[in-house]
Amino acid sequence: MLALFAPDEKATDAIGAALAGLLEPGDTVLLEGDLGAGKTALARAIIRARLGDPAMAVPSPTFALVQPYPGIVHADLYRLSHADELEELGIFENDRTIKLIEWPERAPELETLPGIMVRLAPGENGAGRVMTITPMGGRALTTWGTGLAQWIRDET
């Protein structure tokens, strides 16, 4: 597990860019946190960095449920009523696609997939964001500390 601290939006973007470089094709990234915690902001930063376009328009998938990009799919499960609906969204059609999934608590079985869970929460006294990264499905984070070193608050 890695606990990171992003004091501002610029740091969130930088962490997203660093994560984009650490993700492997087929990884699942579960983004968990309350409304306004920064799930979409982090996903947006990962997508822009992964696709090499820092100005790219990356809308929230809240209403469309799924936003596809080359090699990436960004999904928001908030409006799902049952995990069975996942199949209809087409998120898992390509096993080499990186999957960024907000509100994963709607489908807890996703935690068995290879990738990471990122839990986002406000920092102390509401300042900045704390991001806790936990490996899933056999994924190891042994080399990730180097790429994320400047934001690490705790590493176990």
Side-chain angles (χ1 to χ4, degrees):
M1 178 198 74
L2 296 172
L4 311 177
F5 179 70
D8 53 31
E9 196 67 34
K10 186 176 175 181
T12 298
D13 289 347
I15 290 169
L19 287 173
L22 295 168
L23 295 172
E24 296 175 7
D27 273 348
T28 297
V29 179
L30 303 182
L31 301 162
E32 190 176 270
D34 291 336
L35 285 171
K39 298 178 296 294
T40 300
L42 184 61
R44 186 175 289 127
I46 291 169
I47 293 165
R48 287 176 173 163
R50 190 83 187 184
L51 299 180
D53 186 352
M56 177 182 208
V58 179
S60 169
T62 299
F63 297 105
L65 299 184
V66 177
Q67 292 287 345
Y69 302 91
I72 304 169
V73 65
H74 181 195
D76 185 324
L77 306 185
Y78 185 76
R79 297 186 320 157
L80 255 57
S81 58
H82 195 275
D84 290 345
E85 296 175 71
L86 271 177
E87 192 66 35
E88 297 172 26
L89 297 178
I91 298 170
F92 303 100
E93 289 178 358
N94 183 339
D95 62 354
R96 306 258 320 137
T97 299
I98 292 172
K99 294 155 283 297
L100 305 173
I101 302 175
E102 299 185 38
W103 299 100
E105 52 272 31
R106 302 279 199 245
E109 64 275 12
L110 295 175
E111 293 183 36
T112 63
L113 299 172
I116 60 172
M117 165 76 77
V118 182
R119 288 184 175 91
L120 295 101
E124 192 172 318
N125 297 321
R129 291 184 176 115
V130 175
M131 300 178 200
T132 305
I133 301 174
T134 307
M136 307 182 313
R139 187 74 156 89
L141 302 180
T142 52
T143 61
W144 287 39
T146 304
L148 299 167
Q150 65 184 347
W151 303 287
I152 292 177
R153 289 295 168 108
D154 187 24
E155 187 173 9
T156 56

